[in-house]
mmCIF file of all heavy atoms in Angstrom:
data_model
loop_
_atom_site.group_PDB
_atom_site.id
_atom_site.type_symbol
_atom_site.label_atom_id
_atom_site.label_comp_id
_atom_site.label_asym_id
_atom_site.label_seq_id
_atom_site.Cartn_x
_atom_site.Cartn_y
_atom_site.Cartn_z
ATOM 1 N N GLY A 1 0.804 -1.221 0.000
ATOM 2 C CA GLY A 1 0.000 0.000 0.000
ATOM 3 C C GLY A 1 0.831 1.263 0.000
ATOM 4 O O GLY A 1 0.386 2.317 0.451
ATOM 5 N N LEU A 2 2.051 1.166 -0.539
ATOM 6 C CA LEU A 2 2.969 2.304 -0.563
ATOM 7 C C LEU A 2 3.244 2.750 -1.993
ATOM 8 O O LEU A 2 3.156 1.964 -2.927
ATOM 9 C CB LEU A 2 4.280 1.908 0.128
ATOM 10 C CG LEU A 2 4.125 1.463 1.582
ATOM 11 C CD1 LEU A 2 5.417 0.851 2.095
ATOM 12 C CD2 LEU A 2 3.682 2.617 2.457
ATOM 13 N N LYS A 3 3.606 4.011 -2.141
ATOM 14 C CA LYS A 3 3.971 4.568 -3.448
ATOM 15 C C LYS A 3 5.484 4.460 -3.629
ATOM 16 O O LYS A 3 6.230 4.398 -2.655
ATOM 17 C CB LYS A 3 3.547 6.032 -3.534
ATOM 18 C CG LYS A 3 2.053 6.226 -3.440
ATOM 19 C CD LYS A 3 1.701 7.692 -3.460
ATOM 20 C CE LYS A 3 0.203 7.862 -3.271
ATOM 21 N NZ LYS A 3 -0.168 9.268 -3.154
ATOM 22 N N THR A 4 5.914 4.456 -4.878
ATOM 23 C CA THR A 4 7.340 4.322 -5.181
ATOM 24 C C THR A 4 7.856 5.550 -5.911
ATOM 25 O O THR A 4 7.271 5.984 -6.895
ATOM 26 C CB THR A 4 7.599 3.094 -6.069
ATOM 27 O OG1 THR A 4 7.063 1.941 -5.438
ATOM 28 C CG2 THR A 4 9.079 2.886 -6.304
ATOM 29 N N ASN A 5 8.960 6.102 -5.420
ATOM 30 C CA ASN A 5 9.752 7.092 -6.146
ATOM 31 C C ASN A 5 11.033 6.376 -6.513
ATOM 32 O O ASN A 5 11.663 5.757 -5.658
ATOM 33 C CB ASN A 5 10.092 8.304 -5.275
ATOM 34 C CG ASN A 5 8.885 9.140 -4.965
ATOM 35 O OD1 ASN A 5 7.972 9.254 -5.759
ATOM 36 N ND2 ASN A 5 8.868 9.714 -3.780
ATOM 37 N N GLU A 6 11.415 6.458 -7.778
ATOM 38 C CA GLU A 6 12.585 5.709 -8.225
ATOM 39 C C GLU A 6 13.638 6.635 -8.817
ATOM 40 O O GLU A 6 13.324 7.498 -9.634
ATOM 41 C CB GLU A 6 12.158 4.682 -9.278
ATOM 42 C CG GLU A 6 13.273 3.808 -9.764
ATOM 43 C CD GLU A 6 12.779 2.707 -10.697
ATOM 44 O OE1 GLU A 6 11.612 2.299 -10.584
ATOM 45 O OE2 GLU A 6 13.573 2.270 -11.534
ATOM 46 N N PHE A 7 14.880 6.421 -8.398
ATOM 47 C CA PHE A 7 16.018 7.119 -8.975
ATOM 48 C C PHE A 7 16.912 6.074 -9.612
ATOM 49 O O PHE A 7 17.496 5.236 -8.923
ATOM 50 C CB PHE A 7 16.801 7.916 -7.924
ATOM 51 C CG PHE A 7 16.076 9.144 -7.464
ATOM 52 C CD1 PHE A 7 15.329 9.116 -6.293
ATOM 53 C CD2 PHE A 7 16.113 10.302 -8.200
ATOM 54 C CE1 PHE A 7 14.643 10.232 -5.860
ATOM 55 C CE2 PHE A 7 15.427 11.430 -7.791
ATOM 56 C CZ PHE A 7 14.688 11.403 -6.610
ATOM 57 N N ASP A 8 17.001 6.108 -10.935
ATOM 58 C CA ASP A 8 17.843 5.177 -11.691
ATOM 59 C C ASP A 8 19.141 5.913 -11.985
ATOM 60 O O ASP A 8 19.222 6.707 -12.913
ATOM 61 C CB ASP A 8 17.117 4.766 -12.971
ATOM 62 C CG ASP A 8 17.830 3.670 -13.727
ATOM 63 O OD1 ASP A 8 18.986 3.369 -13.397
ATOM 64 O OD2 ASP A 8 17.214 3.115 -14.646
ATOM 65 N N LEU A 9 20.159 5.646 -11.183
ATOM 66 C CA LEU A 9 21.390 6.423 -11.248
ATOM 67 C C LEU A 9 22.247 6.143 -12.471
ATOM 68 O O LEU A 9 22.934 7.026 -12.954
ATOM 69 C CB LEU A 9 22.202 6.207 -9.973
ATOM 70 C CG LEU A 9 21.479 6.628 -8.685
ATOM 71 C CD1 LEU A 9 22.355 6.361 -7.472
ATOM 72 C CD2 LEU A 9 21.082 8.090 -8.744
ATOM 73 N N LEU A 10 22.228 4.906 -12.965
ATOM 74 C CA LEU A 10 23.085 4.570 -14.101
ATOM 75 C C LEU A 10 22.320 4.296 -15.385
ATOM 76 O O LEU A 10 22.908 3.967 -16.401
ATOM 77 C CB LEU A 10 23.959 3.351 -13.747
ATOM 78 C CG LEU A 10 24.883 3.534 -12.546
ATOM 79 C CD1 LEU A 10 25.620 2.242 -12.242
ATOM 80 C CD2 LEU A 10 25.863 4.659 -12.785
ATOM 81 N N GLY A 11 21.006 4.385 -15.321
ATOM 82 C CA GLY A 11 20.206 4.160 -16.518
ATOM 83 C C GLY A 11 19.909 2.704 -16.808
ATOM 84 O O GLY A 11 19.218 2.391 -17.763
ATOM 85 N N GLY A 12 20.418 1.794 -15.991
ATOM 86 C CA GLY A 12 20.178 0.373 -16.221
ATOM 87 C C GLY A 12 18.879 -0.119 -15.615
ATOM 88 O O GLY A 12 18.227 -1.004 -16.140
ATOM 89 N N GLY A 13 18.498 0.476 -14.487
ATOM 90 C CA GLY A 13 17.254 0.108 -13.838
ATOM 91 C C GLY A 13 17.198 -1.331 -13.383
ATOM 92 O O GLY A 13 16.150 -1.961 -13.421
ATOM 93 N N ASN A 14 18.330 -1.868 -12.959
ATOM 94 C CA ASN A 14 18.390 -3.288 -12.662
ATOM 95 C C ASN A 14 18.040 -3.628 -11.217
ATOM 96 O O ASN A 14 16.999 -4.212 -10.956
ATOM 97 C CB ASN A 14 19.778 -3.821 -13.010
ATOM 98 C CG ASN A 14 19.830 -5.333 -13.055
ATOM 99 O OD1 ASN A 14 18.806 -5.991 -13.081
ATOM 100 N ND2 ASN A 14 21.019 -5.873 -13.038
ATOM 101 N N ARG A 15 18.893 -3.283 -10.260
ATOM 102 C CA ARG A 15 18.690 -3.696 -8.865
ATOM 103 C C ARG A 15 18.673 -2.501 -7.914
ATOM 104 O O ARG A 15 19.379 -1.518 -8.117
ATOM 105 C CB ARG A 15 19.790 -4.651 -8.430
ATOM 106 C CG ARG A 15 19.749 -5.946 -9.183
ATOM 107 C CD ARG A 15 19.952 -7.131 -8.280
ATOM 108 N NE ARG A 15 19.868 -8.353 -9.067
ATOM 109 C CZ ARG A 15 18.876 -9.223 -8.964
ATOM 110 N NH1 ARG A 15 17.905 -9.025 -8.125
ATOM 111 N NH2 ARG A 15 18.865 -10.305 -9.706
ATOM 112 N N VAL A 16 17.891 -2.648 -6.842
ATOM 113 C CA VAL A 16 17.800 -1.621 -5.810
ATOM 114 C C VAL A 16 18.998 -1.773 -4.877
ATOM 115 O O VAL A 16 19.248 -2.850 -4.349
ATOM 116 C CB VAL A 16 16.489 -1.780 -5.004
ATOM 117 C CG1 VAL A 16 16.424 -0.749 -3.880
ATOM 118 C CG2 VAL A 16 15.275 -1.673 -5.918
ATOM 119 N N PHE A 17 19.763 -0.691 -4.702
ATOM 120 C CA PHE A 17 20.907 -0.753 -3.799
ATOM 121 C C PHE A 17 20.679 0.055 -2.522
ATOM 122 O O PHE A 17 21.441 -0.074 -1.560
ATOM 123 C CB PHE A 17 22.213 -0.330 -4.491
ATOM 124 C CG PHE A 17 22.284 1.121 -4.862
ATOM 125 C CD1 PHE A 17 22.763 2.061 -3.976
ATOM 126 C CD2 PHE A 17 21.879 1.536 -6.123
ATOM 127 C CE1 PHE A 17 22.836 3.404 -4.314
ATOM 128 C CE2 PHE A 17 21.946 2.872 -6.484
ATOM 129 C CZ PHE A 17 22.418 3.806 -5.575
ATOM 130 N N ALA A 18 19.618 0.869 -2.486
ATOM 131 C CA ALA A 18 19.284 1.627 -1.278
ATOM 132 C C ALA A 18 17.818 2.023 -1.322
ATOM 133 O O ALA A 18 17.202 2.058 -2.403
ATOM 134 C CB ALA A 18 20.164 2.868 -1.170
ATOM 135 N N GLN A 19 17.268 2.308 -0.145
ATOM 136 C CA GLN A 19 15.882 2.756 -0.063
ATOM 137 C C GLN A 19 15.724 3.704 1.102
ATOM 138 O O GLN A 19 16.473 3.655 2.068
ATOM 139 C CB GLN A 19 14.929 1.573 0.093
ATOM 140 C CG GLN A 19 15.041 0.866 1.441
ATOM 141 C CD GLN A 19 14.130 -0.338 1.549
ATOM 142 O OE1 GLN A 19 14.414 -1.352 0.939
ATOM 143 N NE2 GLN A 19 13.063 -0.207 2.319
ATOM 144 N N THR A 20 14.744 4.597 0.978
ATOM 145 C CA THR A 20 14.411 5.547 2.040
ATOM 146 C C THR A 20 12.900 5.645 2.113
ATOM 147 O O THR A 20 12.268 5.902 1.085
ATOM 148 C CB THR A 20 14.982 6.943 1.732
ATOM 149 O OG1 THR A 20 16.386 6.846 1.550
ATOM 150 C CG2 THR A 20 14.703 7.904 2.851
ATOM 151 N N PRO A 21 12.281 5.437 3.252
ATOM 152 C CA PRO A 21 12.858 5.090 4.535
ATOM 153 C C PRO A 21 13.356 3.644 4.566
ATOM 154 O O PRO A 21 13.036 2.844 3.687
ATOM 155 C CB PRO A 21 11.711 5.295 5.532
ATOM 156 C CG PRO A 21 10.467 5.186 4.731
ATOM 157 C CD PRO A 21 10.820 5.611 3.345
ATOM 158 N N ASP A 22 14.112 3.331 5.603
ATOM 159 C CA ASP A 22 14.701 2.003 5.757
ATOM 160 C C ASP A 22 13.633 0.931 5.947
ATOM 161 O O ASP A 22 12.536 1.209 6.432
ATOM 162 C CB ASP A 22 15.638 1.970 6.969
ATOM 163 C CG ASP A 22 16.887 2.812 6.771
ATOM 164 O OD1 ASP A 22 17.321 2.961 5.614
ATOM 165 O OD2 ASP A 22 17.425 3.318 7.774
ATOM 166 N N ALA A 23 13.987 -0.289 5.595
ATOM 167 C CA ALA A 23 13.106 -1.438 5.811
ATOM 168 C C ALA A 23 12.751 -1.542 7.290
ATOM 169 O O ALA A 23 13.593 -1.293 8.152
ATOM 170 C CB ALA A 23 13.792 -2.718 5.346
ATOM 171 N N GLY A 24 11.494 -1.886 7.558
ATOM 172 C CA GLY A 24 11.035 -2.042 8.929
ATOM 173 C C GLY A 24 10.473 -0.779 9.544
ATOM 174 O O GLY A 24 9.796 -0.830 10.565
ATOM 175 N N THR A 25 10.756 0.371 8.932
ATOM 176 C CA THR A 25 10.189 1.626 9.407
ATOM 177 C C THR A 25 8.678 1.567 9.220
ATOM 178 O O THR A 25 8.197 1.052 8.220
ATOM 179 C CB THR A 25 10.765 2.811 8.595
ATOM 180 O OG1 THR A 25 12.184 2.807 8.707
ATOM 181 C CG2 THR A 25 10.211 4.137 9.069
ATOM 182 N N THR A 26 7.923 2.081 10.165
ATOM 183 C CA THR A 26 6.472 2.107 10.009
ATOM 184 C C THR A 26 6.040 3.487 9.514
ATOM 185 O O THR A 26 6.494 4.511 10.017
ATOM 186 C CB THR A 26 5.739 1.752 11.319
ATOM 187 O OG1 THR A 26 6.189 2.604 12.360
ATOM 188 C CG2 THR A 26 5.974 0.305 11.697
ATOM 189 N N VAL A 27 5.180 3.460 8.496
ATOM 190 C CA VAL A 27 4.697 4.684 7.860
ATOM 191 C C VAL A 27 3.194 4.568 7.629
ATOM 192 O O VAL A 27 2.622 3.486 7.707
ATOM 193 C CB VAL A 27 5.425 4.946 6.521
ATOM 194 C CG1 VAL A 27 6.913 5.179 6.732
ATOM 195 C CG2 VAL A 27 5.197 3.797 5.546
ATOM 196 N N LYS A 28 2.558 5.686 7.309
ATOM 197 C CA LYS A 28 1.136 5.679 6.984
ATOM 198 C C LYS A 28 0.929 5.018 5.624
ATOM 199 O O LYS A 28 1.769 5.161 4.724
ATOM 200 C CB LYS A 28 0.589 7.108 6.924
ATOM 201 C CG LYS A 28 0.538 7.799 8.263
ATOM 202 C CD LYS A 28 -0.018 9.192 8.107
ATOM 203 C CE LYS A 28 -0.007 9.931 9.434
ATOM 204 N NZ LYS A 28 -0.503 11.312 9.283
ATOM 205 N N PRO A 29 -0.184 4.309 5.436
ATOM 206 C CA PRO A 29 -0.495 3.753 4.109
ATOM 207 C C PRO A 29 -0.505 4.880 3.071
ATOM 208 O O PRO A 29 -0.950 5.989 3.368
ATOM 209 C CB PRO A 29 -1.889 3.157 4.289
ATOM 210 C CG PRO A 29 -2.025 2.917 5.757
ATOM 211 C CD PRO A 29 -1.216 4.000 6.418
ATOM 212 N N GLY A 30 -0.006 4.583 1.890
ATOM 213 C CA GLY A 30 0.044 5.587 0.825
ATOM 214 C C GLY A 30 1.289 6.443 0.850
ATOM 215 O O GLY A 30 1.482 7.284 -0.023
ATOM 216 N N SER A 31 2.151 6.242 1.853
ATOM 217 C CA SER A 31 3.405 7.001 1.918
ATOM 218 C C SER A 31 4.317 6.585 0.774
ATOM 219 O O SER A 31 4.178 5.501 0.208
ATOM 220 C CB SER A 31 4.114 6.738 3.251
ATOM 221 O OG SER A 31 3.364 7.232 4.325
#
């Protein structure tokens, strides 16, 4: 139930190497 903002730094769009907020953080639905 979350939205995604994506930054493709090298143009390959292959694998996620970082995320914000961190895994396990609790947020409101739709964040």
Side-chain angles (χ1 to χ4, degrees):
L2 301 169
K3 297 177 184 174
T4 305
N5 291 327
E6 183 174 333
F7 287 97
D8 188 348
L9 300 179
L10 300 176
N14 194 14
R15 295 223 179 249
V16 177
F17 68 88
Q19 69 182 73
T20 303
D22 292 331
T25 303
T26 54
V27 297
K28 291 180 183 178
S31 295

